Amino acid sequence: MATGGRGAVVAMAARSTLSSASVTLFVLLVLPRVSEAQTFFFPFRQPETCGHNQYFDISALSCVACGSNQRQDARGTSCVCLPGFQMISNNGGPDITCKKCPEHMKGVTEDGWNCISCPGGLTAEGKCHCPTGHILVERNVNGTLLSQATCELCDESEDSFTVANALGNRCVRCEPAFINTSKSCACSEPNILTGGLCLSSTGNFPLRMISTARYGELGISFTSEWFAKYLQSSAAACWVYGNLTSCQALGNMCVMNMNYYDSSTFDACGLFQVIFENTAALGTVHSVSFWRQNLPWLFYGDQLGLAPQILSTTPLPTNFSFKGENQQSTKLKFVAASYDARGNFLKWQTLEGGILQLCPDTEMRLNAAYSFGTTYQQSCEIPVSKILTDFPTPTFYDVYLEYTDENQHQYIWAVPVLNLNLQHKKMFVNKDSSSGKWLLTRRIFLVDTLSGRENDLGSQPRLIRVATQISLSIHLVPNTKNGNIYPPLITIAYRDIDIKDPSSQSVKVSFSVTYEMDQGEAHVQTDIALGVLGGLAVLSSLLKTAGWKRRIGSPMIDLQTVAKFLVYYAGDLANVFFIITVGTGLYWLIFFKALQFLHKLISQITIDIFFIDWERPKGKVLKAVEGEGGVRSATVPVSIWRTYFVANEWNEIQTVRKINPLFQVLTVLFLLEVVGFKNLALMDSSSSLSRSPPSYIAPYSRILRYAVSSALWLVIGLIQIVFFAVFYERFIEDKIRQFVDLCCMSNISVFLLSHRCFGYYIHGRSVHGHADTNMEEMNMNLKREAENLCSQRGLVPNTDGQTFQIAISSQMRQHYDRIHETLTRKNGPARLLSSSGSTFEQSVKAYHTMNKFLGSFIDHVHKEMDYFIKDKLLLERILGMEFMEPMEKSIFYNDEGYSFSSVLYYGNEATLLIYDLMFFCVVDLACQNFILAAFLTYLQQEIFRFIRNAVGQKNLASKTLVDQRFLI
């Protein structure tokens, strides 16, 4: 068994080897091999270049000679027998066999298979010839071939009225127009033969017709070959015989002439109007007064004011919605009755699939135009050569909107057309802004390459007309939540193109769908809101101006007062615009908000500030007397480092904000671009945050784009503010309160005047009497304070109130200004250091004088310039002003809210947040790019922060004698 198994294996291996060898031999012998000399190119030939006795081989793509006694057929891709030769065999294509006919039967039958005698002579193709009015007979009724062909005369008598057909092989009945007019098959004078019809010269039908094609855009008119051949016959057949196809053809010619109507001329539209007026007895179609029986519906009438009634009087009796499972409510189902140029009805067809869209695209994108609520825009540039190829003849459309009523019955609503090229009394009335002057029509076409053919219908047209702009506008019914719409309107504009070189010419075309709503009521409500809130803004600005006047201690109304009122009013008005419009009036809003921001910035960097040092000298030291060579005792100088340190901390908190600007910008950008919130600004009905690449992407709405970005900006900003107030300031760091604590630890108070007679006071006087001490004593002081072993920090004994709003008297301000003038005479320490020693000593003396004066003022030393402390009334807090004017005494208002932050970025977060929002939105609306808007917004934030710090440092140094080099 083992041996047998091995033998079988060997035998199988041998057969396998032989089989492989056989396959290899077959491949080498049978399959073609690529030789080194083989080429893959050959001469390029076209069918028209083949000779008379050659045909074009569609497989070899070259010209091949026909067989003997043969020639090229009409198409050029096969062969036929020469005249006088009959076919013996025909296997299709060029594979035929021909045989010469005998001398007594030189003719060939119409099918080419037999020879026959022709008594009437031969044609150029070798077939039998018959005189006019005769038909050729080659076979009996049963199909038997005659030895000699005969020519039979058709019977034109009244009993038969027959005539030879176009092929000359059958007698057919004459056209009814001939019989009715001339009682024969001939149209003899004075009757008129036109377009295959015989018209009586005695009828009331107009005989002088104008076959002119008008191209108003180019100012060109010429006789159209199509109109010359078919206008008169179509009009006559429509009027006289009521021929439906002829009436449609006449209507098409009127549409090709842009519905141009002149009662003094009998052109296409003039003839249509004559027929319309003279067939009133036929009645109307579907009770539409503009639609005459037998005629197409072309016009809505020429009465002024008719268009607004048609477009905005009667809503469609159906509802639409943005979402839903029922496609009837989410899709606009437009259908069109289509006709060819000869007036033949082609079919009903839906507009989906790009029927009215000349630009190519995917079916999904094309059909997106008819999703309810989707604003659609499509444009492209098409070569004229492609237009001539794709549209050899025009197709005409009557567009309707199909809908289902509440009883589920299907109806169609005629969609009116606003043809911008229509002329009425030589005026383009449909280009007028007033809809009351519009003349609405019905039928449209996309491309007309037919009426522009001047001499021969088979030649290239001289001019073509292309629908370059098609806009479908959907007008929503106001004050409805059911998705009701008025009849849609198709606005169409044609362009006349003079054909010069089709291969180099092109035309731009577009298709769009827009949604509109009457904003009249919204405008009225907006005007009312603006009026009411604008009045409140005036009142608020007056109160702010009055409060400012009181704070600066000036009772006079001067130019400065008016300017201040206008600045306040600009800021309040900006807030009114922001609340009401949220987009409308955007540019005014930006201007006013920017003005308010700049006003805040200027106010902050022009404040008066002084750091009161309560520290007193500790004992005396020996000091060398310059120039005398001796020594004398002097008080120990108070260190300036505490003042420098507090001033530096003040400089740092000037631009502290309640939000992180970088985080704000990046988060908003992330939500818009990555998460996809920007897709909510697309003008479509979808609320999805993502869009699939193959689907149609609607254009962005500026209003929605502004609304989405501003909403995200405000939400992120408010979240940051809440987080900052609730968590960050409580558990991590509160720089405003820390600054107040620092003042107390440094034994330095801050006297700050934001207005001439109004400002803020931070009481930083140490409860321990001094702060310039060593670590051990400072720790002991803090421990005593924590254990309540010392007095409280407040200005009033046994209180904690350290921050105040102050309204100082005019006398106090005058005394302050006299000392301050000496202090800032040289405009800051940088120049003081380079001045003479006496000048510097004078400024130092002025500094100590101011420090002593303000300290004594706080300690009630100056009875003539004293002050008292009180709480603000609730109404004073709400209005942001003081009712009591400081006449003899200054007033310190308790301020637990640290309102001194209003001179910092910290206290103006709302203004900064809205300003950044407006800047971001304006940049985006201008460039339609969120990334660029985010970058420029952050850049301007950093620029203003740098300016604020730089100018603030210089102002701080000039006001307090602090060297600017120590302000970081």
Side-chain angles (χ1 to χ4, degrees):
M1 291 296 295
T3 304
R6 287 196 297 270
V9 172
V10 171
M12 291 178 63
R15 286 196 296 269
S16 176
T17 304
L18 291 174
S19 177
S20 300
S22 300
V23 171
T24 304
L25 180 61
F26 173 79
V27 171
L28 293 175
L29 294 178
V30 178
L31 295 184
R33 291 177 293 175
V34 179
S35 65
E36 295 181 359
Q38 187 173 353
T39 59
F40 297 94
F41 61 89
F42 49 87
F44 173 61
R45 301 298 298 272
Q46 294 184 350
E48 56 268 20
T49 62
C50 297
H52 181 69
N53 61 343
Q54 294 178 319
Y55 72 96
F56 184 76
D57 189 330
I58 61 175
S59 175
L61 301 178
S62 60
C63 295
V64 180
C66 292
S68 59
N69 305 319
Q70 299 175 19
R71 66 177 181 179
Q72 186 186 82
D73 69 351
R75 293 185 58 192
T77 58
S78 186
C79 297
V80 296
C81 295
L82 292 173
F85 290 80
Q86 68 178 112
M87 280 191 301
I88 300 301
S89 66
N90 186 347
N91 296 323
D95 187 9
I96 64 173
T97 305
C98 301
K99 177 184 177 182
K100 186 174 177 60
C101 291
E103 289 296 329
H104 65 283
M105 301 177 70
K106 292 185 177 181
V108 181
T109 57
E110 290 292 329
D111 57 15
W113 286 96
N114 301 100
C115 297
I116 193 169
S117 177
C118 300
L122 299 175
T123 64
E125 289 79 18
K127 308 295 176 64
C128 294
H129 172 71
C130 287
T132 303
H134 294 68
I135 62 172
L136 177 65
V137 179
E138 297 176 335
R139 299 178 184 273
N140 288 328
V141 176
N142 61 0
T144 304
L145 180 67
L146 300 176
S147 60
Q148 183 177 356
T150 61
C151 294
E152 300 290 340
L153 178 64
C154 294
D155 183 11
E156 297 185 11
S157 64
E158 187 174 352
D159 294 335
S160 301
F161 284 131
T162 60
V163 69
N165 65 358
L167 297 177
N169 60 4
R170 184 182 176 190
C171 291
V172 296
R173 184 171 176 81
C174 303
E175 288 290 336
F178 286 75
I179 300 174
N180 296 336
T181 302
S182 63
K183 304 301 181 182
S184 68
C185 290
C187 188
S188 56
E189 294 183 354
N191 299 319
I192 300 172
L193 178 63
T194 175
L197 296 178
C198 186
L199 304 179
S200 174
S201 60
T202 60
N204 58 354
F205 188 79
L207 301 178
R208 298 179 59 188
M209 300 184 183
I210 299 177
S211 304
T212 301
R214 292 182 173 86
Y215 293 85
E217 189 180 42
L218 299 177
I220 298 176
S221 298
F222 59 86
T223 300
S224 167
E225 182 67 14
W226 180 261
F227 290 177
K229 278 192 173 183
Y230 300 110
L231 175 59
Q232 192 174 32
S233 59
S234 298
C238 177
W239 190 1
V240 178
Y241 305 109
N243 184 280
L244 299 181
T245 303
S246 298
C247 291
Q248 296 293 336
L250 176 62
N252 292 341
M253 287 184 242
C254 177
V255 174
M256 282 191 278
N257 249 352
M258 298 289 96
N259 299 87
Y260 179 84
Y261 167 62
D262 188 348
S263 59
S264 62
T265 60
F266 292 106
D267 57 3
C269 292
L271 290 172
F272 182 89
Q273 192 66 24
V274 168
I275 298 173
F276 184 88
E277 293 173 354
N278 287 274
T279 55
L282 297 178
T284 61
V285 178
H286 300 303
S287 301
V288 179
S289 60
F290 314 114
W291 196 350
R292 185 76 75 240
Q293 194 75 299
N294 298 337
L295 294 176
W297 180 7
L298 298 186
F299 300 93
Y300 278 89
D302 57 356
Q303 299 92 340
L304 292 177
L306 183 60
Q309 299 179 25
I310 296 171
L311 297 175
S312 58
T313 300
T314 307
L316 266 68
T318 188
N319 302 329
F320 295 91
S321 62
F322 294 142
K323 294 183 179 181
E325 298 180 356
N326 185 8
Q327 191 176 12
Q328 292 284 348
S329 63
T330 60
K331 298 284 288 187
L332 295 170
K333 190 175 182 181
F334 289 96
V335 294
S338 55
Y339 301 83
D340 64 10
R342 296 180 180 272
N344 297 303
F345 176 78
L346 299 178
K347 60 181 176 179
W348 280 105
Q349 58 187 134
T350 175
L351 294 189
E352 290 188 343
I355 299 301
L356 298 185
Q357 294 148 278
L358 290 174
C359 296
D361 210 333
T362 63
E363 185 173 358
M364 180 184 295
R365 291 174 181 268
L366 292 173
N367 294 343
Y370 307 110
S371 295
F372 182 72
T374 299
T375 298
Y376 185 91
Q377 290 182 357
Q378 183 195 44
S379 62
C380 65
E381 190 168 352
I382 305 177
V384 171
S385 58
K386 177 175 173 57
I387 292 177
L388 293 174
T389 303
D390 295 346
F391 297 92
T393 59
T395 301
F396 299 85
Y397 304 97
D398 292 342
V399 182
Y400 299 86
L401 177 61
E402 182 182 345
Y403 67 93
T404 304
D405 67 359
E406 57 184 8
N407 297 321
Q408 301 303 311
H409 295 155
Q410 287 188 323
Y411 295 91
I412 54 175
W413 191 290
V415 178
V417 174
L418 183 69
N419 186 349
L420 300 182
N421 296 69
L422 183 146
Q423 293 187 61
H424 181 67
K425 297 180 181 180
K426 299 182 179 180
M427 296 179 61
F428 292 97
V429 293
N430 287 345
K431 294 183 179 181
D432 197 286
S433 58
S434 173
S435 61
K437 298 181 181 180
W438 292 350
L439 296 181
L440 302 179
T441 56
R442 282 282 298 125
R443 183 164 293 187
I444 62 173
F445 63 88
L446 298 184
V447 178
D448 174 21
T449 61
L450 189 60
S451 64
R453 303 178 191 269
E454 193 169 12
N455 298 315
D456 183 8
L457 292 179
S459 64
Q460 178 176 287
R462 174 183 171 184
L463 293 166
I464 65 172
R465 181 172 278 140
V466 181
T468 53
Q469 297 178 18
I470 300 179
S471 177
L472 182 60
S473 56
I474 314 298
H475 198 83
L476 304 177
V477 177
N479 302 323
T480 179
K481 298 181 180 179
N482 298 324
N484 298 117
I485 65 172
Y486 288 117
L489 174 67
I490 295 178
T491 303
I492 189 166
Y494 292 93
R495 179 185 170 190
D496 302 333
I497 303 173
D498 191 359
I499 302 299
K500 300 294 185 183
D501 182 9
S503 60
S504 62
Q505 291 178 279
S506 61
V507 59
K508 292 183 179 180
V509 298
S510 65
F511 180 87
S512 62
V513 181
T514 59
Y515 290 81
E516 303 171 355
M517 177 179 286
D518 185 8
Q519 300 293 329
E521 184 176 352
H523 289 164
V524 172
Q525 295 176 351
T526 301
D527 292 341
I528 294 174
L530 284 174
V532 173
L533 294 181
L536 294 177
V538 172
L539 180 60
S540 174
S541 302
L542 288 173
L543 291 174
K544 290 180 180 179
T545 307
W548 172 76
K549 291 292 290 182
R550 178 162 296 180
R551 288 174 175 182
I552 66 173
S554 173
M556 301 296 295
I557 299 179
D558 49 12
L559 185 61
Q560 184 183 13
T561 304
V562 176
K564 200 71 173 181
F565 166 76
L566 293 177
V567 171
Y568 281 132
Y569 182 61
D572 291 338
L573 194 60
N575 293 327
V576 170
F577 284 156
F578 180 76
I579 295 172
I580 296 177
T581 62
V582 193
T584 307
L586 182 61
Y587 298 107
W588 286 108
L589 174 62
I590 296 304
F591 172 76
F592 290 140
K593 184 52 67 177
L595 185 61
Q596 184 188 26
F597 172 73
L598 292 176
H599 175 238
K600 291 284 187 181
L601 184 62
I602 295 173
S603 298
Q604 290 182 12
I605 61 179
T606 56
I607 61 174
D608 287 322
I609 185 171
F610 191 86
F611 300 106
I612 307 173
D613 191 352
W614 297 100
E615 197 75 11
R616 295 294 177 259
K618 295 182 179 179
K620 295 184 178 182
V621 295
L622 296 177
K623 181 179 180 181
V625 180
E626 186 176 354
E628 297 181 2
V631 295
R632 64 179 181 180
S633 63
T635 59
V636 178
V638 177
S639 173
I640 194 64
W641 284 108
R642 291 173 296 100
T643 303
Y644 279 3
F645 185 67
V646 172
N648 189 69
E649 289 300 314
W650 172 263
N651 183 65
E652 287 187 0
I653 67 172
Q654 287 189 95
T655 55
V656 170
R657 295 186 59 176
K658 298 179 182 179
I659 68 170
N660 186 314
L662 181 59
F663 176 82
Q664 176 79 16
V665 170
L666 293 179
T667 304
V668 172
L669 188 61
F670 174 81
L671 293 176
L672 288 171
E673 293 289 345
V674 180
V675 179
F677 275 91
K678 68 177 183 180
N679 291 320
L680 297 178
L682 296 174
M683 289 192 286
D684 58 21
S685 58
S686 175
S687 58
S688 174
L689 298 182
S690 61
R691 296 290 191 275
S692 59
S695 63
Y696 170 75
I697 305 299
Y700 286 100
S701 165
R702 290 183 178 271
I703 296 297
L704 292 179
R705 198 174 174 98
Y706 171 73
V708 171
S709 56
S710 60
L712 288 177
W713 192 279
L714 291 176
V715 168
I716 300 303
L718 291 176
I719 291 175
Q720 284 203 79
I721 292 174
V722 171
F723 172 81
F724 187 83
V726 174
F727 179 79
Y728 189 86
E729 286 188 330
R730 289 190 177 186
F731 302 103
I732 300 178
E733 183 181 31
D734 186 348
K735 291 189 176 182
I736 302 301
R737 288 172 172 78
Q738 286 178 354
F739 178 77
V740 176
D741 291 339
L742 175 65
C743 291
C744 189
M745 294 300 298
S746 303
N747 203 15
I748 289 178
S749 295
V750 181
F751 189 85
L752 188 153
L753 293 178
S754 58
H755 301 75
R756 185 177 182 274
C757 295
F758 181 85
Y760 306 92
Y761 174 66
I762 302 175
H763 187 61
R765 192 170 190 173
S766 176
V767 296
H768 309 290
H770 55 86
D772 195 358
T773 183
N774 55 35
M775 182 181 296
E776 181 181 0
E777 188 175 355
M778 178 166 289
N779 288 334
M780 184 63 68
N781 291 339
L782 292 175
K783 183 177 180 181
R784 293 179 58 208
E785 190 172 355
E787 295 175 355
N788 292 324
L789 299 177
C790 58
S791 61
Q792 294 175 292
R793 293 181 176 182
L795 175 61
V796 178
N798 299 321
T799 65
D800 290 324
Q802 293 181 261
T803 56
F804 301 86
Q805 296 181 11
I806 58 175
I808 62 175
S809 63
S810 297
Q811 185 179 2
M812 163 64 184
R813 178 68 198 204
Q814 292 172 2
H815 195 83
Y816 175 89
D817 288 340
R818 284 195 296 269
I819 304 174
H820 190 266
E821 182 181 359
T822 305
L823 180 65
T824 59
R825 182 171 297 167
K826 294 299 179 179
N827 296 324
R831 295 186 59 180
L832 285 173
L833 292 176
S834 62
S835 303
S836 63
S838 59
T839 304
F840 178 75
E841 291 179 357
Q842 184 178 0
S843 297
V844 172
K845 183 179 179 181
Y847 167 78
H848 289 295
T849 302
M850 177 68 78
N851 191 76
K852 183 178 180 180
F853 166 70
L854 292 179
S856 60
F857 171 74
I858 298 299
D859 287 339
H860 300 279
V861 173
H862 306 280
K863 299 302 181 182
E864 72 282 2
M865 293 183 292
D866 204 358
Y867 67 92
F868 62 93
I869 301 174
K870 66 184 298 289
D871 292 326
K872 262 194 172 184
L873 300 176
L874 177 62
L875 188 58
E876 287 180 313
R877 296 177 184 271
I878 296 175
L879 297 179
M881 63 177 297
E882 299 75 37
F883 295 158
M884 183 179 296
E885 187 174 355
M887 300 298 294
E888 297 180 356
K889 291 186 177 182
S890 301
I891 307 174
F892 278 41
Y893 295 97
N894 290 311
D895 179 24
E896 298 177 356
Y898 299 91
S899 61
F900 69 88
S901 62
S902 62
V903 300
L904 309 172
Y905 269 14
Y906 183 92
N908 296 275
E909 188 57 58
T911 300
L912 295 172
L913 183 67
I914 295 176
Y915 175 78
D916 291 341
L917 163 63
M918 293 299 100
F919 187 91
F920 178 86
C921 291
V922 165
V923 175
D924 174 65
L925 292 177
C927 63
Q928 296 287 289
N929 190 319
F930 286 123
I931 297 177
L932 179 61
F935 171 75
L936 293 180
T937 301
Y938 181 72
L939 182 63
Q940 65 86 22
Q941 289 174 342
E942 292 300 304
I943 291 175
F944 274 114
R945 188 175 68 85
F946 174 79
I947 294 174
R948 173 70 174 83
N949 280 333
V951 179
Q953 286 180 8
K954 185 174 181 180
N955 177 67
L956 184 63
S958 65
K959 301 289 186 181
T960 62
L961 203 64
V962 175
D963 195 327
Q964 189 174 350
R965 292 173 295 180
F966 294 101
L967 299 177
I968 302 174

